[in-house]
Amino acid sequence: LIAADPAVAQYRRDTSLSLEKLANAFLAEGDAGSAEPLIAEAVTIRAALAGADPTAVAPLRAAALRLRISISK
């Protein structure tokens, strides 16, 4: 969906959440090596979303919290 319409923030957010879920599945299996690039991509997407509206604190906070949760597993 992102390729079809990259301007839709919801598509990018949904993609970042899917990447995070896949990363968490790898972490649950003990495969941090496979999880790391997925987490990095999710964070990159969320940072871009937050950068699109620097006054929006919620996306930045959500990205920070999710990154902390993913790394702590």
Side-chain angles (χ1 to χ4, degrees), residues 10-42:
Q10 187 65 44
Y11 295 164
R12 293 181 298 180
R13 181 184 173 278
D14 291 348
T15 298
S16 73
L17 291 172
S18 295
L19 290 167
E20 179 189 342
K21 287 179 182 182
L22 285 170
N24 285 334
F26 281 120
L27 288 172
E29 295 295 318
D31 188 356
S34 294
E36 184 180 2
L38 299 173
I39 293 168
E41 187 174 352

